[in-house]
Every structure is written in structure tokens, then in C-alpha cells.
Amino acid sequence: MRVLTELAKEITDEHILQVVPIILPEMLRILNDRINYTVETRTRAVEIFRTIVGIVTTLTEVDKTVVKKYLSPCLEPFLHEFVSCLEEKIIQYKSYALQKSIVKAISLLLRRCPKKISPYLQFILKPIWDILTSNIQEFRLYFNGEAEDADVDSDGEECGIEGAVFSVFSLIQTLLEDPSMNSVVKSGLVDLIYYIIFYMQLPQERVESWISSPSTFASDEDEVNATYTLRVCAQDILILACDEFPEESYAALGQAVDRHLTGTTDWRLQEACLYAVCSLGTRIVKPVTKEVQPGANNQQYFNIHGFIQNIVFPGLSSTDVLLAGRCLVLGSNFCTVLTPDLTRQFVQAATQGIIQQDRNLISKILAAKAINTFVEQAKDNLTVKMALLEFLPGAIDAFINFAATQPVEISSDCLETIVQILHLDEGFTAAVGHRMTTLAIACFVKFNGDPVISPTLEDMVRVLCQNANCVLPLQQRFTPTLVSILNSENPDLGGAQAVSMDILSVIIKASPIPLSPALINEAFPAVIHRVFNSDDHTVLQNGGECLRAFTAMSPLQVYEYRDSHGNSGLGHVVKLACRLLDPSTSEFSASFVGKLVTTLIMKTGDKLGDQLELLLRAVLSKLQSADTLSVIQNLCMVYAHLINTQLDAALNFLDSVPGPTGQSALHFVMTEWVSRQQCFFGLFDRKVSAIALSKLLQQGVTQNDPRLSQIQVKGDPIIDSFGSRVTRSRAALKPDQWTVIPLLIKIFKLLIHELSTFTYEEYESDDSADSDEKENQGIGAVLGDEMFQDDTEFLDDPEVLQDPIYNMDIENYLKEYLKEFSTHMYYSEFLQHLTQLERKVLNLSGIRCS
């Protein structure tokens, strides 16, 4: 059966329908035969059923009748047998594995063919619900450490109670996400939330693990890195239920919490209730309706004030460190809806949690987490901010000591909180700047370029540099440490040297101009020495960015710098750029080389002389060998910036240089550029690219420039008119085919594509006539937020922030440009090449397309 289980996963679409009538009846027979087959074998029969259902239901994309033909005949017998198995009394842990597999199979049926299974819904839900309700005592023993849950089976799958409950929660999630079925859950919300909270309780084994290893606790508290435990799964279901049915869920939460806490002092259950309430945040205490009439029933809200008075405040003095810490975290989450006095008391308790030396590490970690939340809330709440500024000065030394002496998992969280604290108030930051600089240097030396700590350290340095009272002292104290590491020949310091150059870049960008002698005469030559004596990809990449910062901030000082051999600083920067652009150099080292070249041209172009053409030819050479999108985009941006600032010079250069295919370099660059434009990412780069393309289109049309008008490029994909299913074998035999269109028409289509990213929600339609075109053309349908995400990486880059393009309204620019372009006499010829979707974009933007 194990072999058959694996074989079922490998059955192809072409053979599955042949084996379904043979395998499924056999699996039903095995599942039903409790005498001749073990629980393990019957469990595998269910797994094979689930695998086959998954494959068959995917074929409905091609043939809508496959479910009716191949699954419907055996669906009812399987469901009846599933219910029978679920109702069996558990006599061994292996039976939980069977329950889990059955529930997972039913979940799959609910997702893939809900109409087929909905008539049986009430019939199958009762025994599934019983899994939650009938295992209370067993779970309580497990939570308290009085019994052990089964581990994993031979396939690595959980086969105990926890695994079975996991599968039930997954099925409830499926029901909640389906509007046609979630009413089943709505009718039992109070009981559901009651059991959700029960299964949020912490097993004793995990508590002991956290106490013995606080670093593990810190990692599990991190929402990004947390292990997906039953507790986290229950949290997800609770949040989803409240998203779907807010009024009913908030009332149900209050009732469920009252049921749990009435007459109990069990810290584990209290902590689970706190965790559940924290998961939902302040929305549970806000009115769901806009107006609340006097005397109206307020049971639709959670009584947070009563909860805090009766449970949370007494819990602060609990000897159970997890309960006391969770009380602090809850107070920080709800501080904006509490009275100023209560808020002040919680802030004081959190800071005391850091100050007191005898506190358990877990208590300190949760206190730091609470302070982090307080600081976030203080951005929009003056009461919280004032309370923090009252109590933080007395706790900051203890906080710094705590962050500097803990392992990386704990220190990273503390440092993130400290970064948030430094954003709180400029005066406070100036007062603690000296101590924070000491902490940054100490952590930098201690963790030696650790990839977890380094980004946070850079953020800390950045915040301190933004404070006029901190930047110069930090520069004077930190620079010697950075220079010392850069000059070291210790091969184990490669990571620290790369981070040193990142931190140095932050300092340079925030330093007053002219740069200090320490930066120019010590740090600058140290960076040059390191990049020319290292083959480490990260060192070379970060070194290029660091030298770009020097060049961007003070190009004259870089030009005037001379080393002991009389070589200029500018010559060294150009030399590094050429090294990074060498086709034999790894692409990992050249991810940002285009930015370096652009900075050199924009800031020192009049001083480059013959080196300018050398750089531009090197960019071409690297572009020919590049395969990585980010590198290709970076290199294309060099020419995009040139076109935006020196259109004629850029065209003359590219047209005069031969490309790799025997045609001009202009032909090669434009072919590479327009074929990948839709994949470029980052708002600023796409703005630069779109504006450059619009200038090229204008040049080609208004000047009838043959250098542009004669270039032919790949256009749209040629769609299979028969609409047959494309398998891997067919794709190999018949690769994708594309139309060939003039470059100017391709640019016109790309500009419409850029505009479509702003009108995507307007023209997105469920019209099946458009769906195939969306899938193949990719316009709008394939775009995500990541394509036009905010360029947070540029927030500390003065060169970018000062560029007029950065603040340009690109949507308005494209609309006005295309409206003006529609008045040209050649416009009708361009319209002939547009797809229906592209015409719709123009229509929605008020641009004629006829």
C-alpha cells in the first residue's frame, strides 16, 4: 500500500481516468474491512482516494463531466464509510491518523466539488465536530504533561490527537472561506470559539522547552519565523471567523471567554484567553455599526475593561511568567482604548519588566514586545507617547544591557524595539544617542556581520544619523571600527566587511558636505583596498554601493582624492565599475552596478573623458552575458537615464557601436529592454523606464528616425486557435510562437501596459471572452503589488530622492502623453496592433481608440 500510495501521486492526466474505476472500489473495500486490514493500511487507502480525487478534479478545466462520470458513483459509499470510521471508538493512537486522513479527504472534496458534497454536509459534520469535543480530557492530560501525544508515523506525518485536530481546523477554514457553506459555522460560533481557545493552550512540553531555551521562545513569538503549531492554526481560524462574521464573533468571544474563566484559576487557560483576545486587537471593542442607541444591547462588543480589571491586572503579579508576560502584551495592544491612567500603569509595568534583574528571560522578552507595541501605538496617541517618555529614560540602560548580552534571537527583537524607540522623539534620541552608538558598535563587533542582526543595526545607525545631534559623534566613533575591519586581512571577516560597507554607506548619506577627513582619507581608501583584494560577491556588491554613496554625495572630493601613487579616487571607482561589468565576473556581484555607472555619468560625466565610452561599452558587454532579471534591469536603466537626460547622445552612441548579432547596439539594447519591460520591478525604475520609452516613441514618430523605426521586435504570443490542452511534451515539440512588430508599436503597447497597472481593478472582468487573452497577454492580470511597490530601499538615497522623476505622477503623465499621441496622423496605424484588452485600457483612461 505504501508503494501504491506513492504510485498514485505519479499517475499522469492521460492515465488517471483509466485507473479510477479499478482503484477506488478497491480502496473502499479495504477501508470497510476492519478485520483483514490494519488501521495503517486503511489510512493509506484514504490517502490514495484523496490523491486520486485531487488529480481528477483538476481535469474539470478540460472536461466538466469527469467528476460526474468517475467520482459521483463512489462518492456516497465513501462518505458513509468515512462517517462510520469517524464514529469508531479510539482504541489506539493510530486511529487518530485515520481520522486525520478522512477529514483531509472531506476538506478536499469541499474545495474541489462543493456541489456534490453539500447534500451530505450535515451528515458528515457531526462526527467531525465530535473530534473536537470528545478529546477534551485527552488533550488536557497532554497539555498538563500527564500524557504524551503520538509522534509521527513512518512518513513523517503527525499521527496523534494534535494531527486530527489540525485537520478539523483546516476543514473549518474551508467552510469559512466558502460563502455558500459558511452559514453552517455561523450557527455554532460560540461553541467553535470556545474550543478554539481550548486548543490554544500551551502543552507542558513546549513550556519547558521555552523555559530551558528562551531563544526558542523568542523565535516562536516572531510571527514571521514561528513554527505553525496547533495554537497558531487555531489563531488563524479565530481571525478568519471574526473577519467573516464580526458582530457574531465578538459576542461569541465574550461568551466563550466567560465559560472558560468562570471558576478557574488555571494559568494555562487564562493565558490562552489572553492570546485569543490579543489576536483580534481593538476591533473587538469598537462598535460594528456607526451609531449605538442609548440602552442598546452591547453584547456584540467584548468587555475589554472588565476583562482587564478581573483577569489582566491580577495576572501581572502571577508567578507564571508566560501569563504575566502575556498580560503586558495585551495591555500594550489595547492601550489606545484604555483610560490614560490604565495606559500609564501598563507602560510602567512593561518598563519595570526590563529593569528588574530577577525577572525571567521570557518575562523580559514579552516586556520588550509590549514596549515595541506601545511605541507603535504612540505614533497616533499622545497619551501613550507621554507615558513612554516618562518611564523609558529610567529603563533605557537596562534595555541596552539586555540587548547587548543576549543571543542573536533575543537581541534582534530587542534591537528592533530600540529602533522604534529612537523614532519616538528627537529630543529623547539625542539624549540617548551616545549610549545607542556604544550599543551599535558593541553588537556589530559581537555578532560579526550576522545576517539577522545586521539589517537592524543598519536601521539603528540610519535613525541616529537622521538626528542632527547624533550624526557627527556617531561618525567619529563608528568610522574607526569600520576602517579597522575593512583593513583586516582575516578571511573570516568577509561578512563583517560587507556589513561594514553597508553601515558606512548609511553614514555617508547622512553626513554633512564636505565629508570629513576621516571619511575621505581613511574610510574611502579602506573601501578601495577591500574591494580590490576580495573575490567575495557580497563584498564587491556592497563595496560598489559604498563607493556610489561617496560619488553621489561628494563627487568633487572623490575626483580630487589621490592615493600614494597619485591615482585619483574617480579612477578607482571607474576601475571597480569595469571589474563588476566584466562578463567573467559573477552576476551576483553586479546586481547594482548599473546604479554605480549611472551615478558616475550623472555626477562626474564631465570629468570622465574617454572613460565614459569605456563604461558604456562595458555595460553593453555585461548585458550580452547577463541572465538574471535584476542585473538586466539594472543595466538597462543606465541607458534609460541617459535617454531621459541626453537623448541624442545616447542614440548616437548606441547606433555607432556594433551589437553581438551584427546589427547595431541600439537594436540589441532595445530588443532586450522591451522584451523584459513588463517584468521590471520597483516604482522608480519603472517610472524612469516608461518615461525613456515615451521619449523614444516621440523621437521615432515625430522625427521619423530610421534608427528606431526600422527595428523589429517580438510582439504578442500567437494563441493556439484550437485551444487544446498544452502538456509538457507538446510544449517541447511546439515552442511558443510570437508575432514580429516594429519597435515603436511595441513601445506604444508597453506604455499602455504601464498605464493598465493603475486601471487594473476597473477593467478586470469575469468575462470569459477576455480571460484567455488576459492569461496569454499578461496585461493587468499578471500584475501584483510587487511590481509597483513603494521604493522603500530609496528612502535614504539622496540621489534618487532628489530626482524629479521620483515624485512624478506617472499615471497622469502617461494619460496626458497618450492623449497627445492620439492626435498624431500615424495613430490609426498603431491602433491596428492593439488587443481588445489594450483598447479597454485606453477607453477607461479617456483616450480615443478608434
Side-chain angles (χ1 to χ4, degrees), residues 291-401:
E291 296 184 2
V292 180
Q293 300 298 329
N297 183 4
N298 290 324
Q299 290 184 352
Q300 65 188 41
Y301 317 128
F302 185 81
N303 183 9
I304 189 63
H305 297 283
F307 185 68
I308 286 176
Q309 292 290 349
N310 299 321
I311 303 298
V312 180
F313 255 113
L316 286 173
S317 57
S318 172
T319 56
D320 296 294
V321 294
L322 285 165
L323 176 59
R326 194 65 63 192
C327 289
L328 282 178
V329 173
L330 184 138
S332 67
N333 276 274
F334 287 88
C335 63
T336 57
V337 296
L338 301 180
T339 63
D341 184 57
L342 281 176
T343 297
R344 185 176 175 278
Q345 291 181 57
F346 272 112
V347 173
Q348 184 179 18
T351 55
Q352 286 298 313
I354 295 293
I355 294 171
Q356 294 174 2
Q357 297 292 329
D358 57 344
R359 284 293 185 100
N360 182 280
L361 278 180
I362 289 180
S363 293
K364 288 181 177 288
I365 292 169
L366 288 172
K369 182 175 182 177
I371 291 174
N372 187 63
T373 305
F374 279 125
V375 176
E376 290 179 356
Q377 304 281 20
K379 296 174 184 177
D380 302 310
N381 190 295
L382 184 60
T383 299
V384 179
K385 181 176 180 179
M386 297 307 295
L388 285 168
L389 291 176
E390 178 183 355
F391 294 109
L392 274 178
I396 201 67
D397 286 335
F399 213 147
I400 290 173
N401 181 62

Side-chain angles (χ1 to χ4, degrees), residues 21 51 102 227 278 294 298 332 415 457 574 579 669 720 722 785 835:
T51 300
I102 289 173
T227 305
C278 274
N298 290 324
S332 67
L415 290 174
L457 282 177
V574 172
R579 180 183 177 186
V669 169
D720 184 356
F722 296 102
D785 290 339
T835 64

Side-chain angles (χ1 to χ4, degrees), residues 57 185 284 426 430 497 531 564 583 617 619 622 822 848 850:
T57 51
V185 181
I284 63 174
E426 285 191 8
Q497 289 170 340
V531 294
S564 58
R617 285 180 178 270
V619 171
K622 190 68 174 181
S822 67
R848 72 176 184 89
S850 59

Side-chain angles (χ1 to χ4, degrees), residues 473-490:
L474 180 139
Q475 180 192 122
Q476 293 166 2
R477 296 182 60 200
F478 216 145
T479 301
T481 303
L482 300 176
V483 171
S484 175
I485 291 176
L486 290 174
N487 285 330
S488 173
E489 301 301 332
N490 186 343

